[in-house]
Amino acid sequence: MAVNGWFETEEQMPQWGQLGCNGFILLDARLQIVSPATEAYLLKRERAFAHLETLLDAELEGVGNRVRVAGEEEVLDVDSRPMGELASVCHVEMDRQHLECAGCFNSLRETREPEQLAQLIEVMARHFECEEQLLDLNVYAGIQNLADGFSPQASARASHFGDHARILVEARAEYAKGRERVSAVYISKAMREFETHAEMYDCVYAGVV
């Protein structure tokens, strides 16, 4: 049996610092550390859970190989829904930029033209830079560096900004493939992940900036 637990107070947090979005801390039945941090969902997506389940299978003496990490060429279901309106973050300029990003995504969905992907990358990069500057000024100002001790705000900042970097890396990698038409699988995945990003991260600063 596996039990999911949590720390009730910040003082109980491990000294190396860890948030669930960066992976799980895995303990055995004797509360000894099996893994101080499993793979991060924000970096590995579904593969992060495959990694966790593999470790759990081994610890629970299960079948061990039940979880198979999918290869890069796995065919995914395509969710062809257009991107809807993202929730307001109560900041006029950020809301405008989110609307601009959504419009670029929907144009890419309709045309699948590489030029439209290039425009999307430019718009997202500009938005992420503006948003990070805004958050550093109003939300993350003065936070201590993770190297100097654990800070929930510093970890949240690293996760948020790290997801920005991941989104851009994946978009640029798709563009670099040089295809005549952008992959419908990539477009679907990127749209749903941008929506998830907005819900997980951007809505958190609504009304704060």
Side-chain angles (χ1 to χ4, degrees):
M1 179 180 69
V3 178
N4 188 29
W6 64 90
F7 298 102
E8 292 185 340
T9 66
E10 185 174 331
E11 290 73 22
Q12 295 174 323
M13 292 289 288
Q15 293 182 351
W16 65 86
Q18 181 68 11
L19 293 177
C21 55
N22 288 332
F24 291 96
I25 301 170
L26 186 60
L27 308 178
D28 62 17
R30 299 177 300 280
L31 301 184
Q32 300 299 304
I33 296 174
V34 174
S35 173
T38 59
E39 292 184 348
Y41 176 76
L42 294 177
L43 298 177
K44 301 292 186 176
R45 314 308 287 182
E46 289 77 10
R47 298 185 184 193
F49 287 113
H51 176 240
L52 172 63
E53 291 175 349
T54 299
L55 293 176
L56 284 172
D57 276 345
E59 189 61 30
L60 295 171
E61 298 181 349
V63 295
N65 295 323
R66 178 177 60 83
V67 177
R68 178 176 60 84
V69 177
E72 291 290 340
E73 300 302 320
E74 180 185 15
V75 177
L76 304 176
D77 291 334
V78 176
D79 182 348
S80 59
R81 290 178 294 118
M83 183 176 290
E85 183 176 353
L86 302 175
S88 172
V89 295
C90 303
H91 187 282
V92 174
E93 178 57 21
M94 289 299 101
D95 284 343
R96 185 198 68 77
Q97 291 184 15
H98 285 156
L99 185 63
E100 184 180 18
C101 289
C104 286
F105 268 114
N106 285 330
S107 294
L108 176 61
R109 169 183 170 271
E110 293 174 2
T111 67
R112 295 178 57 189
E113 293 288 341
E115 293 78 10
Q116 189 62 49
L117 176 57
Q119 182 180 352
L120 172 64
I121 291 171
E122 180 181 342
V123 167
M124 288 196 301
R126 186 168 59 246
H127 163 61
F128 291 156
E129 182 179 5
C130 290
E131 186 177 69
E132 289 174 11
Q133 291 175 354
L134 181 69
L135 293 178
D136 275 342
L137 182 64
N138 295 279
V139 178
Y140 300 130
I143 62 171
Q144 57 181 309
N145 191 286
L146 281 176
D148 299 326
F150 177 65
S151 164
Q153 274 196 312
S155 185
R157 177 185 183 276
S159 296
H160 189 162
F161 293 6
D163 206 38
H164 286 170
R166 177 193 62 80
I167 290 170
L168 288 176
V169 165
E170 292 183 359
R172 287 166 176 154
E174 180 65 27
Y175 182 76
K177 292 176 181 178
R179 293 172 173 168
E180 291 186 4
R181 302 189 75 197
V182 179
S183 165
V185 172
Y186 163 75
I187 296 171
S188 168
K189 176 175 177 290
M191 291 176 70
R192 304 290 80 86
E193 289 184 356
F194 193 91
E195 291 171 336
T196 299
H197 173 93
E199 183 177 350
M200 285 182 60
Y201 293 112
D202 297 345
C203 287
V204 173
Y205 69 78
V208 178
V209 295

